[in-house]
Amino acid sequence: MENNNSDAILLVRVTKIMDSSINFIHVGYIANVPYYLCYGLQKYGFSPTLILPSRVMFNELFYGYGSGNPLNVNIVKPMNRWPTASSLTYVIVKNMALKSKKIVVHMHGFYSIQDLMNELILELIKKLEKVLGKRLHIVWHFHGSDIRNMTRLYRLFLVRSQIEKFLVSTPDLVIHSHRVGVATAYLPNPIDPLLDLGLIDKSFIRPIISNYIRLLSRFSARKKIIFIPTRLDKTKKIDVFLNLLMNSDVLNMMAENTLFVIIKWGELFNKFVSSLEKMRLRYIALPILNRHEYYQILKLSNLVIGQFSGALG
């Protein structure tokens, strides 16, 4: 009964929000988070739009690019001839035409600043406000290095822009609020619903990865697989894991029956591989995986290590 009451209260709150006709526009792309947030908003009856930057590293691996659009999110993908600022203008004006009472522009981290700085996107928003006679609400969402390693120029840009709300994706990032001069709020990253929905599409799995999956399937029947699907660099504090391996008890335990699966990615990749070889530990190095490939490897793994930095490492 208590759960039913909780569900009813949530439904009432969501209904009240929906009555206010808020439209959400997510701009940028980090770790598929904007994509998942748009999907969640759709589930509650909103009509969000995701504007993908045209210059995202490894964009062929993300949803909305080379991994399809399995959750049917409304995506505007700029081409070189149609820059992100133009896309945002189009989406905002379209929402105004729908007589939205409130429009929230939700910007995401480094990709936003890299893709939008030269186009002075926030200046554009201010001009649109004047022309359309309506205030646009701006939220800026940090995802890690973009706030930990914030440059002075980046900070001045954000402070000057009078952004209404700053969000962070992990709780340890809250302590960096002073960098932007205002309090930040913790918004947990959503979990990819792809597995629960049964939408893994094997047609997106490349032949070379299919070969590795078959190899790992045979190996997992006899021994342990440790999957490290992260960027191997100082930001992720991967050296913490290497120091752990130097413990003789840990090393002896892993030497006989363990296979490491790592990604060819990051400035410390060669050092990490060299350390594994010196310790005579077996490993397989894969190219960067798209989400469909990642989940196939994940299911075969006994232990998954994301990172050792931050509160959730």
Side-chain angles (χ1 to χ4, degrees):
M1 183 64 68
E2 186 177 341
N3 289 337
N4 291 337
N5 289 339
S6 298
D7 291 343
I9 292 171
L10 177 61
L11 181 60
V12 169
R13 288 176 178 171
V14 170
T15 303
K16 286 181 178 178
I17 293 173
M18 290 173 64
D19 286 345
S20 61
S21 301
I22 302 175
N23 272 325
F24 295 89
I25 304 170
H26 283 261
V27 182
Y29 221 68
I30 292 184
N32 295 296
V33 171
Y35 184 82
Y36 302 146
L37 290 174
C38 285
Y39 169 73
L41 288 166
Q42 286 178 180
K43 291 273 288 182
Y44 284 106
F46 296 99
S47 300
T49 299
L50 171 59
I51 298 179
L52 294 180
S54 56
R55 298 182 296 276
V56 176
M57 188 180 298
F58 310 122
N59 59 14
E60 70 276 7
L61 306 176
F62 291 129
Y63 296 141
Y65 286 105
S67 290
N69 183 6
L71 302 178
N72 294 317
V73 168
N74 181 28
I75 293 174
V76 175
K77 186 166 67 174
M79 305 300 287
N80 290 334
R81 60 183 177 81
W82 192 28
T84 307
S86 301
S87 303
L88 184 57
T89 305
Y90 164 76
V91 174
I92 288 174
V93 172
K94 181 180 177 182
N95 277 281
M96 287 296 185
L98 295 174
K99 298 182 179 179
S100 304
K101 293 180 182 177
K102 181 181 288 188
I103 295 178
V104 177
V105 181
H106 190 140
M107 314 284 283
H108 289 267
F110 257 173
Y111 290 148
S112 296
I113 197 73
Q114 289 173 344
D115 199 53
L116 306 174
M117 175 68 89
N118 292 335
E119 299 173 275
L120 297 176
I121 194 74
L122 298 180
E123 290 298 321
L124 167 66
I125 289 174
K126 290 175 184 177
K127 290 179 181 178
L128 282 172
E129 286 179 332
K130 290 181 180 179
V131 171
L132 300 170
K134 183 173 288 191
R135 185 181 178 190
L136 304 176
H137 302 269
I138 307 171
V139 175
W140 199 280
H141 198 156
F142 297 106
H143 294 270
S145 299
D146 47 358
I147 190 168
R148 287 195 193 100
N149 305 326
M150 183 178 291
T151 63
R152 182 174 176 273
L153 178 62
Y154 188 8
R155 179 183 179 279
L156 289 174
F157 172 76
L158 294 175
V159 171
R160 188 177 65 247
S161 301
Q162 297 180 329
I163 293 168
E164 280 185 48
K165 191 70 178 179
F166 290 96
L167 301 175
V168 292
S169 59
T170 58
D172 61 297
L173 298 177
V174 174
I175 64 172
H176 297 283
S177 296
H178 67 278
R179 297 184 188 278
V180 289
V182 297
T184 57
Y186 166 44
L187 178 66
N189 282 340
I191 296 173
D192 188 347
L194 204 67
L195 283 175
D196 287 340
L197 296 173
L199 295 176
I200 293 295
D201 189 341
K202 293 186 177 179
S203 68
F204 285 105
I205 299 176
R206 293 164 289 178
I208 186 172
I209 303 301
S210 292
N211 292 336
Y212 280 120
I213 289 171
R214 284 191 290 271
L215 175 65
L216 292 172
S217 296
R218 293 195 296 270
F219 190 93
S220 64
R222 310 184 313 274
K223 301 187 178 183
K224 305 297 183 185
I225 294 175
I226 296 179
F227 184 26
I228 308 178
T230 192
R231 186 177 69 248
L232 299 170
D233 64 15
K234 294 177 181 178
T235 302
K236 304 298 184 183
K237 296 191 183 300
I238 205 66
D239 54 307
V240 173
F241 183 63
L242 288 176
N243 291 336
L244 176 64
L245 287 179
M246 291 179 184
N247 181 291
S248 58
D249 292 336
V250 174
L251 186 58
N252 291 335
M253 180 180 66
M254 292 185 173
E256 292 297 322
N257 66 346
T258 302
L259 176 69
F260 288 88
V261 179
I262 60 177
I263 305 296
K264 297 175 184 176
W265 185 22
E267 61 187 19
L268 296 181
F269 171 75
N270 290 334
K271 178 182 177 182
F272 193 83
V273 166
S274 177
S275 297
L276 292 180
E277 290 175 346
K278 287 178 182 177
M279 298 176 196
R280 298 185 179 180
L281 295 172
R282 286 172 288 186
Y283 69 91
I284 290 177
L286 302 178
I288 295 177
L289 306 170
N290 68 40
R291 303 303 288 181
H292 303 275
E293 296 166 339
Y294 167 75
Y295 286 126
Q296 295 297 316
I297 306 294
L298 191 70
K299 289 191 293 185
L300 294 170
S301 304
N302 301 98
L303 175 65
V304 180
I305 299 173
Q307 60 178 347
F308 287 87
S309 63
L312 304 180

